[in-house]
Structure formats: structure tokens, C-alpha cells
């Protein structure tokens, strides 16, 4: 019997998001609905053959693979996982099974993050989180919001999500500008945006929303220098990945009032510590990495994961991201 651990199922929806009965008699499934620290993971996950991850919720460094001798398979959502040490997985005979985004189950989920981003944007510029807290405490309004129509929406990145954000911005009668390393005038114009330089993006934007993929090239892309170019009345929205922005620089800019506020869905460390400054700052709206968290998206994630688990249980692993792991003694029959 294969022992499977479903990790970081914060909302307790994994088992209702796919038909796990297909593994009946083949696997014993356990669900972990809270984030495990490294030491907790070493202790709790030692008996398991398989770990099922959801995006980057669980970090899988070499030090973890070294201490999980029974582990044979890790399923990931995506083609790779930035916080998974693939070389270490291979060295320890752990197969990494990636997603099949060509599967029709993934159709239609592309709107999850841009819709959340637009909601976070409006919540931020209208100070709704502050007013919500005041209302729950028996108080009444105390802040003044900003109308979006006629303002400038700046998009750092104009890929799939950025393009959708451009459509939303135009629907709200905003002027849309964009920049990324490889952006062309033609691509920008195709979605009603105008390509500008990086410095112009930060200087001209009333609301700047980040939509680039985290990579070596984008890590620390937004620093104190870029934030200093922004208007004191402007807002920054980040639903991409935390490390794209130098977090300490953003905190300093917000505390000094160099920008009006920020909407943040992603953090350097997730979950952030209980004493993180964002948790107590009234000019920051925070959410717990909800960009992709919808019923439709998680249904696609877990259905895709289940395909890989069934193949593994039948002795025929599919979508293997690290084929050399298949040659490890763990998988010899």
C-alpha cells in the first residue's frame, strides 16, 4: 500500500476536489491542512512514499530529502518548483511528477489571479480592509479613497495575467502603461497599453501592479530606487511573488509615507511570521496568497495530481521532470 501525503491543504478541499476513490486499495492517503516547519515535516512525513504539493506552499530542500528515506515521488503543480531541489530529489531517487497544462481541465482557470488582483487593487485604493476592521470594532468611516477612472495603471509585466489586467484597466477608463525586459510596442498596443521605460513605469503609475515570473532576472527587481520614483499618492500591488520586491525596502517606503499604500498577496516567507510588519500597517492590504485559490483551480490541480499518482501506483510514472531518478535502486523491481 502506497502511503500518500497531501500537503498544505489549508481549506480542506483536496479530497473533495478530485475522485480519489480510483486509488482505493492501492494507497493510504493522509491530508495535512496546516503548514509544516522543516523539523515538523521531517518527523511527520518520514513514513510516506509520496508527497503531493500545491505550488510553493512547501519548501523541499536537500536537507529534507536526506531525512525522508521512504520518499519516492513528489507531485508538483507546474513544470518546475522554485523551492524544490530537483538535483537533491534525483540523488535520493525521488521522482518529480509535473503538471500537464495541455489537459482540458486547466482551461478557464487563467482568470483566477487577475480577478483576485483587481479585487485587491480596489480594496487597497478604497481602504476597505481598514474600514472593515473599524466597522467590526464599532467605529465608522475614517479614510478617503481614490477614483480609478482617468488614473494610470502601470503593469510590470504584460504576459497572460498582465494582459488581462490591461483589459480590466481599460474597462475602468484607466490609462494603461507597461514595461518588462522583452516587451515590444506591438504587444503593448495589442491590449490597449503603451510601452514605457522602467523608470517611467514607476514615475507615471497611480497604481502599479506586478505580473512577472520570479526568476534570477526578476528577483529583487523592485528596490528602494524604484519605489522612490513613485508618487506619494500611488499604490503598489503584488500578486506575483514576494521576492520580486525587496520587502524591507517596501516596508520602509510605506512606513515613511513615500507611497500611499500597497496590496500584497505574496511574501518572502509564506506564511509570514506573526510579527511581520505588514500585519499591523494600516496602509497595507494583505491576503494569504489567494491568487490561484478558487474551487475551479484547485479542482484542476488535484485532478492533474491524481493522474500522476495513478500512473505511479501502476508502476508507470508519467510527466517525470527528472528521468535519472527512475534509475535509482528505489525503483528497481
Amino acid at each position: 500500500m502506497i502511503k500518500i501525503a497531501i500537503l498544505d491543504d489549508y481549506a480542506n478541499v483536496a479530497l473533495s476536489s478530485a475522485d480519489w476513490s480510483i486509488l482505493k486499495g492501492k494507497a493510504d492517503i493522509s491530508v495535512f491542512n496546516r503548514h509544516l516547519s522543516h523539523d515538523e515535516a521531517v518527523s511527520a512525513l518520514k513514513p510516506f512514499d509520496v508527497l503531493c504539493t500545491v505550488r510553493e506552499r512547501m519548501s523541499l530542500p536537500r536537507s529534507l530529502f536526506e531525512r525522508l528515506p521512504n520518499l519516492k515521488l513528489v507531485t508538483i503543480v507546474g513544470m518546475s518548483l522554485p523551492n524544490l531541489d530537483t538535483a537533491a530529489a534525483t540523488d535520493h531517487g525521488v521522482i518529480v511528477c509535473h503538471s500537464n497544462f495541455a489537459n482540458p481541465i486547466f482551461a478557464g482557470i487563467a482568470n483566477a489571479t487577475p480577478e483576485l488582483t483587481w479585487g485587491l487593487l480596489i480594496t487597497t485604493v478604497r481602504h476597505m480592509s481598514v474600514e472593515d476592521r473599524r466597522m467590526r470594532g464599532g467605529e465608522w468611516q475614517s479614510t478617503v479613497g481614490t477614483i480609478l477612472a482617468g488614473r494610470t495603471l502601470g503593469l510590470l509585466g504584460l504576459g497572460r495575467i498582465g494582459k488581462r489586467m490591461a483589459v480590466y484597466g481599460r474597462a475602468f477608463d484607466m490609462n494603461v502603461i507597461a514595461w518588462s525586459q522583452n516587451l515590444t510596442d506591438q504587444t503593448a498596443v495589442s491590449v490597449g497599453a503603451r510601452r514605457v521605460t522602467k523608470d517611467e513605469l514607476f514615475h507615471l503609475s497611480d497604481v502599479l501592479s506586478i505580473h512577472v515570473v520570479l526568476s534570477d532576472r526578476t528577483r529583487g527587481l523592485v528596490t528602494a530606487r524604484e519605489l522612490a520614483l513613485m508618487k506619494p499618492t500611488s499604490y503598489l500591488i503584488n500578486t506575483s511573488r514576494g521576492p520580486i520586491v525587496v520587502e524591507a525596502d517596501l516596508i520602509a517606503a510605506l512606513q515613511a509615507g513615500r507611497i500611499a499604500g500597497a496590496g500584497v498577496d505574496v511574501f518572502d516567507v509564506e506564511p509570514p511570521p506573526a510579527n511581520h510588519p505588514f500585519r499591523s500597517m494600516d496602509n497595507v492590504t494583505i491576503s494569504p496568497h489567494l491568487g490561484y485559490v478558487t474551487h475551479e483551480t484547485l479542482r484542476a490541480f488535484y485532478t492533474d495530481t491524481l493522474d500522476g499518482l495513478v500512473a505511479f501506483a501502476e508502476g508507470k510514472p508519467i510527466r517525470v521532470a527528472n528521468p535519472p531518478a527512475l534509475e535509482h535502486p528505489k525503483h528497481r523491481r
Side-chain angles (χ1 to χ4, degrees):
M1 187 82 71
I2 299 170
K3 290 185 68 64
I4 297 173
I6 299 175
L7 303 178
D8 298 296
D9 180 21
Y10 303 148
N12 291 303
V13 296
L15 295 182
S16 61
S17 295
D19 184 9
W20 297 89
S21 65
I22 195 170
L23 288 173
K24 187 175 182 179
K26 300 177 181 178
D28 178 22
I29 301 172
S30 298
V31 177
F32 293 83
N33 58 15
R34 69 176 183 86
H35 183 72
L36 300 175
S37 69
H38 184 278
D39 289 340
E40 288 175 329
V42 168
S43 175
L45 302 179
K46 193 165 289 185
F48 291 93
D49 303 291
V50 179
L51 303 182
C52 300
T53 67
V54 181
R55 304 299 284 169
E56 299 102 329
R57 290 180 178 180
M58 170 66 81
S59 179
L60 297 169
R62 180 173 291 272
S63 58
L64 189 60
F65 287 112
E66 290 172 346
R67 299 171 71 181
L68 297 179
N70 296 317
L71 188 59
K72 302 177 184 67
L73 175 73
V74 171
T75 67
I76 63 174
V77 176
M79 301 304 291
S80 62
L81 197 62
N83 58 353
L84 183 156
D85 189 332
T86 304
T90 303
D91 291 344
H92 290 83
V94 180
I95 299 167
V96 177
C97 174
H98 63 72
S99 295
N100 174 22
F101 285 134
N103 191 319
I105 61 171
F106 285 101
I109 68 171
N111 287 319
T113 298
E115 287 181 4
L116 183 281
T117 304
W118 199 259
L120 181 60
L121 188 158
I122 292 177
T123 298
T124 300
V125 303
R126 299 300 291 270
H127 312 293
M128 291 175 66
S129 62
V130 172
E131 299 297 0
D132 176 79
R133 290 195 298 273
R134 289 178 59 83
M135 285 285 287
R136 293 176 188 275
E139 299 178 280
W140 195 233
Q141 61 179 267
S142 65
T143 62
V144 179
T146 298
I147 291 175
L148 295 175
R151 303 281 182 173
T152 297
L153 171 65
L155 300 173
L156 181 60
L158 201 62
R160 174 178 55 83
I161 295 173
K163 288 177 180 176
R164 193 65 181 160
M165 288 292 293
V167 173
Y168 296 164
R170 289 181 10 250
F172 275 71
D173 293 328
M174 298 186 76
N175 305 307
V176 182
I177 59 176
W179 175 86
S180 67
Q181 286 97 333
N182 298 318
L183 181 62
T184 64
D185 288 332
Q186 183 179 6
T187 298
V189 170
S190 71
V191 291
R194 177 169 64 91
R195 184 177 70 88
V196 296
T197 67
K198 182 183 177 185
D199 283 2
E200 287 174 330
L201 182 79
F202 283 86
H203 179 66
L204 298 174
S205 296
D206 294 298
V207 182
L208 191 147
S209 192
I210 298 173
H211 302 291
V212 291
V213 175
L214 178 63
S215 67
D216 290 341
R217 189 167 63 168
T218 62
R219 187 180 295 273
L221 184 63
V222 181
T223 69
R225 177 189 175 278
E226 286 73 30
L227 295 169
L229 296 173
M230 297 178 70
K231 305 171 187 177
T233 56
S234 63
Y235 295 85
L236 183 140
I237 309 294
N238 188 8
T239 58
S240 184
R241 290 296 183 271
I244 294 167
V245 181
V246 177
E247 196 171 81
D249 291 351
L250 177 58
I251 291 169
L254 288 163
Q255 289 175 333
R258 288 193 288 273
I259 62 174
V264 181
D265 186 50
V266 289
F267 307 86
D268 281 1
V269 176
E270 296 185 357
N275 63 348
H276 193 289
F278 285 160
R279 294 185 185 271
S280 59
M281 298 170 68
D282 281 346
N283 59 348
V284 183
T285 301
I286 54 175
S287 53
H289 203 150
L290 295 177
Y292 62 83
V293 184
T294 65
H295 290 292
E296 296 84 355
T297 304
L298 292 176
R299 189 176 303 120
F301 285 2
Y302 286 119
T303 299
D304 179 76
T305 292
L306 189 55
D307 288 344
L309 294 176
V310 170
F312 178 77
E314 294 175 348
K316 301 174 182 178
I318 59 173
R319 306 195 301 267
V320 178
N322 58 337
L326 295 169
E327 304 303 319
H328 194 275
K330 282 185 179 180
H331 304 292
R332 293 175 188 165
R333 293 180 177 271

